[in-house]
């Protein structure tokens, strides 16, 4: 396979949006953790790491198990 075959592929603008779809909810979740550090089962630092590296599963886990209900 030559280098020309990679450069001849058409550019699609939606390819740039795919990382944003994954990044925006993770950033919003991390902002929520920083603003409300009262978490249930783990420390806020642990939830930040889970949301940063766990992507979708980390976000769902924080919303279900980590977020304090009394706010």
């Amino acid at each position: 396979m030559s280098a020309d075959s990679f450069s001849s592929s058409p550019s699609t603008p939606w390819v740039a949006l795919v990382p944003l779809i994954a990044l925006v909810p993770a950033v919003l979740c991390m902002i929520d953790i920083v603003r409300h550090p009262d978490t249930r089962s783990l420390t806020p630092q642990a939830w930040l790491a889970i949301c940063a590296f766990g992507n979708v599963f980390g976000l769902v886990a924080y919303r279900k198990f980590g977020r304090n209900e009394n706010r």
Side-chain angles (χ1 to χ4, degrees), residues 9-32:
S9 64
S11 66
T12 54
W14 60 269
V15 173
L17 295 176
V18 172
L20 290 177
I21 292 170
L23 188 64
V24 169
V27 169
L28 292 175
C29 186
M30 290 181 212
I31 290 171
D32 185 59

Side-chain angles (χ1 to χ4, degrees), residues 19-69:
L20 290 177
I21 292 170
L23 188 64
V24 169
V27 169
L28 292 175
C29 186
M30 290 181 212
I31 290 171
D32 185 59
I33 294 169
V34 170
R35 290 181 68 196
H36 306 285
D38 299 330
T39 57
R40 285 191 276 172
S41 56
L42 298 173
T43 64
Q45 293 83 6
W47 282 116
L48 284 171
I50 290 170
C51 288
F53 299 113
N55 208 355
V56 175
F57 297 113
L59 304 176
V60 172
Y62 170 70
R63 299 288 291 186
K64 178 88 175 147
F65 303 112
R67 197 170 183 198
N68 194 354
E69 297 172 354

